[in-house]
Amino acid sequence: MSNSSHPFDYLETLEQSASLYSAQIPVEQTDLSYWQGVSFVLDGQHYMVQVGSISEILPVPQTTPLPGVQRWVRGLANVRGRLIPVVSLGDFLKSNQASYVSSQPNHNNRILVIEKKDISVGLIVDEVKGMQQFTVGSHADEIPATIPENIHPFTQGSYVKDQHYVVFSVEGLVTNERFLKAASE
């Protein structure tokens, strides 16, 4: 080091030459996108609905039966001053099978209240397991072989964590002709 340069100048020169030959510092990835859903059980299968698709989860309220509707429509319920139809999701999905028998309610049943496309409805499910979160990149289009074919139009792929979680499409349900025609024929 010569007397004409200051030690600070020497350090700057050293830093510049080191930066030319060094690798970039990896940037920490903190902006991972996540998909969040509510997990529920229906006929022993685990499904998920996107958090934004449901407005609330409630114990199954008392319903008033409606005449002239399909067997899968349980009736109307008063939910905080609003009358909403309550539908057994499992019975709806099985109702196009010849040997369909209505499911029996139990204390684990819950309703998922959905409000989509000007439709408010409570869907009875066997049990709600809670929130799950997955990275968006872990989504797969495959549906497990254990899911019956008649349910496939109401699914949007799956996520795997400790088991398969099939994504249930509320959009597919509320646009389905059979679901929209709940009146008995």
Side-chain angles (χ1 to χ4, degrees), residues 19-81:
S19 66
L20 289 175
Y21 300 107
S22 66
Q24 294 292 327
I25 297 173
V27 177
E28 182 179 357
Q29 200 172 9
T30 58
D31 62 342
L32 288 176
S33 295
Y34 289 97
W35 187 91
Q36 292 183 323
V38 175
S39 170
F40 67 93
V41 177
L42 197 60
D43 291 329
Q45 299 290 333
H46 289 264
Y47 296 92
M48 303 276 299
V49 290
Q50 191 168 21
V51 170
S53 297
I54 58 174
S55 59
E56 56 188 314
I57 302 167
L58 303 168
V60 179
Q62 181 178 353
T63 59
T64 301
L66 295 169
V69 295
Q70 298 288 340
R71 291 189 296 173
W72 41 268
V73 179
R74 295 290 188 241
L76 285 178
N78 183 340
V79 177
R80 285 184 254 306

Side-chain angles (χ1 to χ4, degrees), residues 7 30 34 42 51 57 60 62 77 80 82-83 96 99 107 115-117 131 164 180:
T30 58
Y34 289 97
L42 197 60
V51 170
I57 302 167
V60 179
Q62 181 178 353
R80 285 184 254 306
R82 287 182 32 222
L83 291 178
N96 61 352
S99 61
H107 69 282
E115 296 178 21
K116 202 76 151 170
K117 292 193 175 274
M131 294 273 299
H164 265 98
L180 294 174

Side-chain angles (χ1 to χ4, degrees), residues 9-177:
D9 294 333
Y10 175 72
L11 289 175
E12 273 188 331
T13 306
L14 185 62
E15 180 186 17
Q16 288 172 354
S17 62
S19 66
L20 289 175
Y21 300 107
S22 66
Q24 294 292 327
I25 297 173
V27 177
E28 182 179 357
Q29 200 172 9
T30 58
D31 62 342
L32 288 176
S33 295
Y34 289 97
W35 187 91
Q36 292 183 323
V38 175
S39 170
F40 67 93
V41 177
L42 197 60
D43 291 329
Q45 299 290 333
H46 289 264
Y47 296 92
M48 303 276 299
V49 290
Q50 191 168 21
V51 170
S53 297
I54 58 174
S55 59
E56 56 188 314
I57 302 167
L58 303 168
V60 179
Q62 181 178 353
T63 59
T64 301
L66 295 169
V69 295
Q70 298 288 340
R71 291 189 296 173
W72 41 268
V73 179
R74 295 290 188 241
L76 285 178
N78 183 340
V79 177
R80 285 184 254 306
R82 287 182 32 222
L83 291 178
I84 63 167
V86 175
V87 169
S88 170
L89 183 57
D91 287 352
F92 167 74
L93 294 172
K94 292 185 283 185
S95 66
N96 61 352
Q97 298 172 350
S99 61
Y100 148 66
V101 176
S102 292
S103 61
Q104 294 300 312
N106 69 51
H107 69 282
N108 289 330
N109 292 156
R110 294 290 179 264
I111 64 169
L112 304 174
V113 179
I114 61 170
E115 296 178 21
K116 202 76 151 170
K117 292 193 175 274
D118 300 328
I119 295 175
S120 294
V121 64
L123 303 175
I124 300 174
V125 297
D126 296 343
E127 185 176 0
V128 171
K129 292 295 196 175
M131 294 273 299
Q132 294 286 338
Q133 181 170 294
F134 302 91
T135 58
V136 171
S138 66
H139 181 264
D141 290 333
E142 297 86 36
I143 305 297
T146 56
I147 303 298
E149 284 290 323
N150 64 315
I151 297 176
H152 286 210
F154 305 104
T155 62
Q156 294 179 318
S158 63
Y159 291 95
V160 178
K161 202 180 253 185
D162 51 338
Q163 62 199 14
H164 265 98
Y165 292 93
V166 177
V167 179
F168 189 84
S169 170
V170 170
E171 183 76 25
L173 182 68
V174 299
T175 57
N176 180 270
E177 285 294 318

